[in-house]
Each structure stands twice: as structure tokens, then as C-alpha cells.
Amino acid sequence: MVIQVNEVESEADCSKAAAEDVAVSNGTVAPVTSSSAMPAAKKRQRRTRIPDKPYKPLNLWSIMRNCIGKELTKIPMPVNFSEPLSMLQRLVEDYEYSEILDKAAMASDSCEQLAYVAAFTVSSYATTSNRTAKPFNPLLGETYELDRTDDLGWKCISEQVSHHPPVVAQHCESKNWICHQEFSMTSSFKGKYLQVKPLGMTHLTFLSSGNHYTWRKVTTNVNNIILGKLWVDHHGDMEIVNHKTGDKCALKFIPYSYFSPSEQRKVTGAVMNAKGEVVWVLNGTWDNKMEASKVAEKRSQVKGKQVLETEAPVVVWQRRWPPLEAEKYYNFSEFACQLNELEEGVAPTDSRLRPDQRLMEEGDWDQSNEKKESLENKQRATRRARELEAELAAQEGRPVPQYEPIWFKKEMEPITNSVHHLYKGGYWECKEKQNWSVCPDIF
């Protein structure tokens, strides 16, 4: 890994700025200082679509027959199976419906707030209903920033902090809330379907109340890998916990069954207070909308079982469907189309500057595949050099150097008492100064 250090002030200044930039340090909410406040900015004009996807037929079975039982992240895949976004960018799509969190911040009580948080977690799966292509695996040290303070009121920074296993650390903040997550996954090809099991946890803190929520993502299956049309299903249980009040939400993503087609993509759930009493009931689908019904004070008994009487349901999330022509460009929503739009001043490690991904978006898949192989070979050479340095240090009795992310640091997260990559600050200050000397040369 090549790191250019042109100015002594760069790392020191960025570290000093971290204290001003971070609103959460070691999991503790801190007041946002004037330096990290989000001033009103002129709303920029963003693109609404990307170039059409070219028609490039490929023999799927010739590739997949050698992948059975293997870890997906270790299988070299041509871009023909991908979409022109990295996993860093794909994870930022979790905030496409960030207005739900703004509504949650204004909720009258913690249980109502939790109902909105639950709807937000479900909304992040909507785009997968008609998108089955694989995002690009980020290179070690690759970053992605998205500053939408001018229109959506938040900004986000993500970094690939580990390559084996692949781990993404992400930090997103607004004036009302802060959300950070560490994302990894295990994936395997089962012959008829691909199964993805997410690892890691998401943390969400509301600044006015200090309510701190955590949850984990559910399992995903990509079906009809060999024959037929690809389709995605999400299934499993998700528990969302408010660590301040003790409120909990239990969500169930019901797996698709050929015997119960009406249950397809269905999500049910309940919000319970600290006493275990159900306060809100949730129903909907992960691809369209979620409704929440408040439990009435009166509860009846039917055959010895308690039946909850609820008020009229309220829509807490409604999907914004992409236009029909989106089929021509990877079924991207308007928000997804804007993720890879070129911007000035981003870090040299930003996913927008990754050449193989840019070539794919522009329709030059042959050149994209060649560049992808070149970048992966460069990453392997860097890893081998790092391993050789570690061996040499061990032989000489020196401390073995470990890879350290640029913008995140492994720390004990006090809410869950688990080790987590937390944002250590400095990114936005370095961007303001246009001092990227701490960034590695990965592209």
C-alpha cells in the first residue's frame, strides 16, 4: 500500500478535527459543535437516470457450476453479473427513506418512535424486489461519501475496513439522529439459490431523547440461480431494541411459500413497552408499504386468548416506485441513479472514481472487466507486500504492523459491549482542506 505524506499537518489536523466532527464517540452522544453543524446549502441539480444497460449475453452455468459450496466473496465474477454500484454505495441506499427517521424524531412517545424505526428497517429492502445484480466488492481502503444536507438533511461516510473477511463501516448523521453500522456477511451457493447471511449490527441514536436502538439484518435468498428468472426473498426474525427505555419491536419477515402465495414478501410485527405489553401492531410487505396500528386500551378475551383491539392503521412507510423505463438501467430508483454521479472534491479512494465501475456504467463492459482484473491484481500484490512485512517484523522481533482503516477505529461499543468500527472523525475537515495525503493509492 502506497501512502503519500506531503504535509506534516495532515494527519494531526485531521485527528484534531475528529473531536469536532464526531457526534458519537465510543457510543456516547455528544453535542454537535458549530464546526460540524450543517449549514443551509443551495440544492444542487442531480441526475435522474444513468445510461442504459447494454445487452451482453453470458453463459451463466459455465461459471456457476464451479462455485457450488464456495464463499461468494472469493469467487472472481465478471461485471456481467454486477450493477455499476459498489457495496459501499448499496448500503447507503438504506437511507433512501430517511424521512421516516425525521418523523420518528418527532414522535410523541418512545413506542411510537420505535414503530417508525421498524418501518425504516423494512424500507431498506424495497429496492431488492426488482434488483438481483451483484454490487462491486469494495477494495480495501475504498471509501464512499454522500453529502445530502442540502436536500435530505444528512451526510454519510463509509469505508471498507477489512478485506478478508470483507467488512464495511458506515457513519451517517443528521441534525436529529446519528446512525452507524458495521456490515459483513457470509454467502454460499446452494445449487438452486444463493444464500446471504448478514453479520454486524446497526446503531441508531436520536439526539433529542438519547434513545439508542440496535438491530441486525435478516437472511436473503437469491432464487433461480441456474434456470428461470432471478428473484429475491428475505426471511427471518429481527429484534429492534431501545437500550434506554427497554422497549422492543419483534419483526418477522415471512419466507415465501408456494403453498401460501398471499404471504409473499409479508412482514408482521409488534412494538412492546418495557413491561412486555403490546402497544403497536405492524403489518405490510417489504417491497411496498408498512402500516402501524395503535393498540386500544380495551382488550378482549376469546377462548382464553387475549385479542388486541387496534385503532385505524397509519401508513408509516410507502415505497416510491421507479419508472417503468428503469428496467433499461438496472431497475435503479432515482436515488440509486444519483449515488455514482461524479462530484468534485471527494477523496481519491471514493467509489465514484473506481475506473472499472465507471466503465461499466458507461457501457464498456469489456474494458471494465480488464480494469477490474487489474485492480484486483494490484490489491493482491499490496496484500502480499503487507504479509511479507509482517513476517519480516516477526523474525526481527519487531511489533507486527496491522492494517489500520483511515476514518474508522475498532473500539468497544459500550451499549452492546461488543467491538465495533466507530467513526473517529476528520473526513469532512480533510475534504474542506482538500488534504487527502492520508489516503492510500488503491485505484
Side-chain angles (χ1 to χ4, degrees):
M1 179 175 66
V2 179
I3 301 179
Q4 299 177 347
V5 182
N6 298 324
E7 299 181 38
V8 177
E9 68 164 9
S10 62
E11 199 162 0
D13 287 354
C14 292
S15 298
K16 181 179 178 182
E20 302 173 347
D21 185 51
V22 181
V24 168
S25 178
N26 296 324
T28 303
V29 179
V32 179
T33 64
S34 58
S35 64
S36 62
M38 299 179 184
K42 184 178 179 181
K43 186 176 180 180
R44 61 167 287 182
Q45 197 70 26
R46 300 179 185 273
R47 67 183 185 182
T48 58
R49 60 162 297 162
I50 62 173
D52 287 353
K53 175 182 178 180
Y55 177 69
K56 297 279 187 177
L58 189 69
N59 188 339
L60 177 62
W61 175 242
S62 66
I63 295 175
M64 298 306 292
R65 66 184 177 185
N66 296 319
C67 301
I68 296 176
K70 294 182 179 179
E71 171 67 30
L72 180 64
T73 57
K74 296 182 180 180
I75 300 171
M77 287 283 189
V79 301
N80 305 58
F81 295 113
S82 300
E83 61 182 18
L85 289 176
S86 76
M87 178 58 79
L88 300 176
Q89 293 165 311
R90 190 71 181 263
L91 285 173
V92 175
E93 287 191 71
D94 285 1
Y95 303 100
E96 182 166 0
Y97 297 94
S98 61
E99 69 270 14
I100 303 175
L101 295 182
D102 296 328
K103 290 180 180 178
M106 300 169 60
S108 59
D109 61 69
S110 60
C111 286
E112 181 185 7
Q113 184 178 81
L114 182 48
Y116 277 102
V117 172
F120 171 75
T121 67
V122 175
S123 72
S124 65
Y125 294 95
T127 188
T128 62
S129 66
N130 55 354
R131 280 169 62 188
T132 55
K134 174 182 175 293
F136 279 65
N137 292 331
L139 302 171
L140 183 63
E142 187 173 333
T143 61
Y144 179 69
E145 67 148 90
L146 187 61
D147 188 346
R148 297 296 296 259
T149 54
D150 63 331
D151 55 352
L152 302 180
W154 53 263
K155 60 183 179 181
C156 182
I157 175 64
S158 305
E159 181 180 359
Q160 185 79 1
V161 295
S162 173
H163 187 63
H164 289 302
V167 179
V168 175
Q170 182 190 78
H171 179 91
C172 185
E173 60 183 80
S174 83
K175 65 179 182 180
N176 298 318
W177 47 265
I178 290 174
C179 191
H180 64 92
Q181 69 170 313
E182 185 177 279
F183 178 84
S184 185
M185 66 180 185
T186 61
S187 54
S188 57
F189 180 51
K190 303 295 186 179
K192 292 184 179 180
Y193 65 93
L194 176 71
Q195 187 170 83
V196 178
K197 292 184 177 182
L199 306 173
M201 181 176 286
T202 303
H203 292 251
L204 170 66
T205 304
F206 288 96
L207 300 180
S208 60
S209 64
N211 287 336
H212 188 121
Y213 299 89
T214 61
W215 66 88
R216 298 181 186 273
K217 297 178 184 289
V218 297
T219 300
T220 298
N221 284 359
V222 183
N223 301 281
N224 290 346
I225 289 292
I226 301 301
L227 295 174
K229 184 178 180 180
L230 292 174
W231 59 279
V232 172
D233 189 36
H234 306 287
H235 59 91
D237 297 321
M238 177 189 291
E239 183 180 60
I240 309 170
V241 180
N242 184 336
H243 293 271
K244 181 180 179 182
T245 65
D247 303 334
K248 294 182 180 180
C249 176
L251 286 178
K252 186 174 185 63
F253 288 67
I254 299 173
Y256 175 79
S257 171
Y258 291 104
F259 303 104
S260 303
S262 62
E263 299 291 301
Q264 188 175 9
R265 299 172 178 172
K266 190 170 183 179
V267 181
T268 61
V271 174
M272 295 157 283
N273 60 24
K275 298 178 182 179
E277 301 168 335
V278 177
V279 183
W280 289 84
V281 175
L282 301 165
N283 280 287
T285 58
W286 53 259
D287 69 325
N288 188 22
K289 72 175 180 179
M290 288 294 294
E291 294 180 335
S293 303
K294 190 173 184 179
V295 175
E297 292 297 325
K298 185 178 179 180
R299 292 171 170 82
S300 58
Q301 296 282 333
V302 177
K303 295 182 180 181
K305 294 183 178 180
Q306 189 179 63
V307 177
L308 302 179
E309 296 183 9
T310 60
E311 299 176 1
V314 176
V315 176
V316 285
W317 166 64
Q318 179 74 59
R319 182 180 183 183
R320 293 184 288 269
W321 288 85
L324 292 177
E325 68 171 1
E327 293 184 357
K328 300 177 182 178
Y329 47 91
Y330 310 91
N331 284 308
F332 279 9
S333 65
E334 184 174 302
F335 182 79
C337 288
Q338 296 165 354
L339 294 176
N340 202 43
E341 188 172 8
L342 287 170
E343 292 190 17
E344 294 183 358
V346 299
T349 51
D350 196 276
S351 298
R352 297 177 182 86
L353 305 179
R354 182 166 172 166
D356 54 346
Q357 187 174 299
R358 180 62 56 187
L359 286 166
M360 184 191 180
E361 181 186 295
E362 294 170 351
D364 193 344
W365 287 15
D366 292 336
Q367 285 293 319
S368 176
N369 275 315
E370 291 181 11
K371 192 62 181 177
K372 180 174 182 287
E373 183 178 4
S374 174
L375 289 174
E376 290 171 348
N377 287 336
K378 181 178 181 178
Q379 180 171 240
R380 293 187 192 100
T382 301
R383 185 174 68 250
R384 284 195 295 268
R386 191 180 300 116
E387 292 170 350
L388 184 61
E389 172 62 22
E391 291 177 5
L392 185 60
Q395 292 173 2
E396 296 176 353
R398 295 185 285 109
V400 177
Q402 301 292 325
Y403 176 80
E404 294 290 340
I406 304 300
W407 311 110
F408 291 81
K409 185 178 181 180
K410 259 189 176 182
E411 296 185 60
M412 181 65 70
E413 202 288 312
I415 298 294
T416 58
N417 290 320
S418 60
V419 178
H420 193 89
H421 279 94
L422 297 174
Y423 177 56
K424 61 185 182 182
Y427 179 87
W428 304 106
E429 283 73 19
C430 286
K431 181 182 181 182
E432 184 177 357
K433 296 177 181 178
Q434 282 301 289
N435 185 349
W436 299 118
S437 57
V438 295
C439 294
D441 174 19
I442 59 174
F443 298 146

